Amino acid sequence: MNIHNSFVIIILSTILFSCGSNQDKKKKYFSISTENNQVVFKINETIKASIKNKDSIKIDSVTFVLNTKETKSKSGFVFQEKIDSEKLGKQVLKAHVFYNGNVDTITKKITLLNNVAPKIYTYKIVAEYPHDNKAYTQGLEFFGDTLYENTGKKGVSSLRKLDLATGKVLQKTDLDNAYFGEGITILDRKIYQLTWQSKTGFIYDLNTLKKTGSFAYNNSKEGWGLCNNGKVIYKSDGTEKIWLLDPNTLAEQDYIQVVTNKGVKTRFNELEWVDGKIYANTYQKDGIAIINSNTGALEGVINLKGLRSKATPTGKEDHSDYVLNGIAYKPDTQQLFVTGKYWDKLFEIEIIEK
């Protein structure tokens, strides 16, 4: 009987404590309201927002935050911001509301898009070169006149140094069978290499292809593609995000999101830095996206339809694997090269605006 009573007392105490905790939870008095309830905005449009104060509490001040930019509101506690150079994509408009010695932080999800459709480009084949049709191409990049390639699939992933003219593999380092190789980029005579779902990347000496270190992904989910502009390394992970990595620590410091004038886009794979823009394969698509590295705006699409038919299928690969992937740019000669997974050819192409 005493045990039963003690058990009842414990249960009642727990219920009372839970009720008290719920009552003590801080009530949100405010919310953010946008004009006409608009949540999707395009470049050159103005975000107009205000604080909804349903209990008519006296507000001392409000500070709005968008893309880390803080704006202290003036009379009426209204936020107005014209979209111009902001990072695009899925964003959060935040407001810190100060009142009676307290502060409430409230948020509203919005989406920022480009205001123009991507330009469409086509191509002309300038030259063709041999390419290993057993290579599941994941990363491609020039250093001087030497072409470097990373291949995928567990058990056969490798980092390679190639001769462009012959397609011959001059040097090769195999990955451990546990890893699925992905994109590469070269900076300060080091090769940075991604793996797919292992959340680990590797660093190699450019000359010897010997592994010298590794790095973790931290916030990103997977490893897809890499490129760099000499100061920042850019990393795709299959989502709408392209991460900005510190080249010294490989820490993911920030990201952009890829958008058009219609929505947020995903599945960007191999990356290449070309004249101030990010060129990106879209997985299983016959095209290359041209991306603004500051805002994430998808400014152009190179339609490479028909290029795949110029390569010779081996008959062994799945259709889903036999796709465009691999972009390499020679900045000294302004030559652009592309290939695909299991393709027996690598193409130099010229881009033509339609």
Side-chain angles (χ1 to χ4, degrees):
M1 186 67 177
N2 289 336
I3 295 174
H4 176 75
N5 288 340
S6 298
F7 181 76
V8 171
I9 289 170
I10 291 170
I11 294 297
L12 289 174
S13 299
T14 302
I15 293 171
L16 289 171
F17 178 78
S18 299
C19 291
S21 297
N22 290 333
Q23 290 172 352
D24 289 339
K25 284 182 178 179
K26 191 174 182 181
K27 181 180 178 181
K28 291 289 184 183
Y29 296 104
F30 312 103
S31 60
I32 298 175
S33 176
T34 55
E35 187 174 66
N36 300 319
N37 295 317
Q38 185 177 352
V39 292
V40 177
F41 302 86
K42 295 184 178 182
I43 289 177
N44 290 332
E45 290 185 344
T46 298
I47 303 172
K48 295 180 181 179
S50 58
I51 300 300
K52 192 172 181 179
N53 183 0
K54 62 180 180 179
D55 293 327
S56 300
I57 296 172
K58 186 179 183 303
I59 297 174
D60 299 317
S61 65
V62 178
T63 299
F64 289 93
V65 183
L66 178 63
N67 273 333
T68 71
K69 179 183 176 182
E70 292 191 359
T71 304
K72 191 166 184 178
S73 70
K74 298 178 182 178
S75 60
F77 308 115
V78 173
F79 174 80
Q80 284 197 184
E81 180 74 22
K82 184 178 180 180
I83 306 304
D84 43 35
S85 59
E86 281 83 4
K87 289 180 182 177
L88 304 176
K90 301 172 185 176
Q91 305 292 344
V92 176
L93 177 61
K94 186 183 298 184
H96 302 298
V97 184
F98 298 87
Y99 66 101
N100 298 332
N102 300 308
V103 58
D104 271 5
T105 298
I106 52 179
T107 60
K108 190 174 187 69
K109 294 179 180 180
I110 59 175
T111 302
L112 309 182
L113 302 179
N114 201 8
N115 60 334
V116 293
K119 290 182 179 179
I120 304 300
Y121 300 85
T122 185
Y123 68 98
K124 179 176 74 174
I125 296 174
V126 176
E128 299 180 5
Y129 300 90
H131 180 253
D132 181 7
N133 65 7
K134 296 181 180 63
Y136 189 82
T137 305
Q138 298 287 69
L140 200 67
E141 188 161 336
F142 274 101
F143 185 83
D145 294 326
T146 304
L147 185 61
Y148 292 80
E149 181 179 37
N150 201 52
T151 68
K153 295 287 189 182
K154 285 187 177 181
V156 292
S157 292
S158 65
L159 175 62
R160 305 170 171 201
K161 186 185 293 187
L162 308 177
D163 177 73
L164 172 64
T166 65
K168 182 180 178 182
V169 178
L170 303 175
Q171 198 172 348
K172 186 175 81 161
T173 296
D174 294 321
L175 275 74
D176 185 277
N177 290 347
Y179 294 105
F180 191 121
E182 283 284 348
I184 58 170
T185 196
I186 300 168
L187 180 63
D188 295 332
R189 305 192 70 83
K190 297 176 184 177
I191 302 174
Y192 298 89
Q193 174 196 64
L194 297 177
T195 62
W196 182 26
Q197 295 179 321
S198 302
K199 296 182 75 69
T200 302
F202 298 110
I203 306 169
Y204 297 82
D205 179 86
L206 178 68
N207 294 324
T208 64
L209 299 192
K210 288 185 178 179
K211 192 185 299 179
T212 60
S214 63
F215 58 95
Y217 296 170
N218 304 322
N219 294 309
S220 61
K221 302 298 182 184
E222 298 179 355
W224 285 44
L226 285 177
C227 71
N228 77 85
N229 65 358
K231 297 179 181 179
V232 176
I233 294 176
Y234 297 88
K235 173 185 181 292
S236 61
D237 64 358
T239 70
E240 71 278 5
K241 296 176 180 177
I242 294 181
W243 296 84
L244 280 64
L245 278 59
D246 182 304
N248 297 312
T249 66
L250 282 303
E252 297 161 352
Q253 297 182 314
D254 201 355
Y255 60 83
I256 57 173
Q257 300 173 65
V258 184
V259 305
T260 64
N261 58 316
K262 294 184 177 180
V264 179
K265 301 300 178 181
T266 61
R267 298 172 70 81
F268 295 100
N269 206 358
E270 219 271 302
L271 306 180
E272 186 75 4
W273 185 264
V274 181
D275 293 336
K277 306 290 182 182
I278 296 173
Y279 280 36
N281 287 128
T282 303
Y283 183 52
Q284 297 186 338
K285 300 293 184 181
D286 290 324
I288 292 174
I290 301 174
I291 301 165
N292 185 307
S293 62
N294 295 317
T295 66
L298 200 164
E299 298 178 339
V301 174
I302 306 169
N303 184 352
L304 294 176
K305 187 176 181 180
L307 190 62
R308 177 172 20 180
S309 66
K310 304 294 183 182
T312 306
T314 64
K316 297 179 180 180
E317 62 283 328
D318 295 330
H319 176 73
S320 61
D321 281 340
Y322 192 70
V323 293
L324 180 74
N325 203 52
I327 311 168
Y329 182 65
K330 286 183 95 278
D332 56 337
T333 58
Q334 297 185 318
Q335 292 172 282
L336 183 66
F337 300 82
V338 297
T339 191
K341 303 173 189 290
Y342 299 134
W343 289 15
D344 68 340
K345 293 178 182 177
L346 181 144
F347 301 91
E348 180 188 348
I349 59 172
E350 178 184 336
I351 305 306
I352 303 167
E353 186 173 353
K354 293 187 72 174

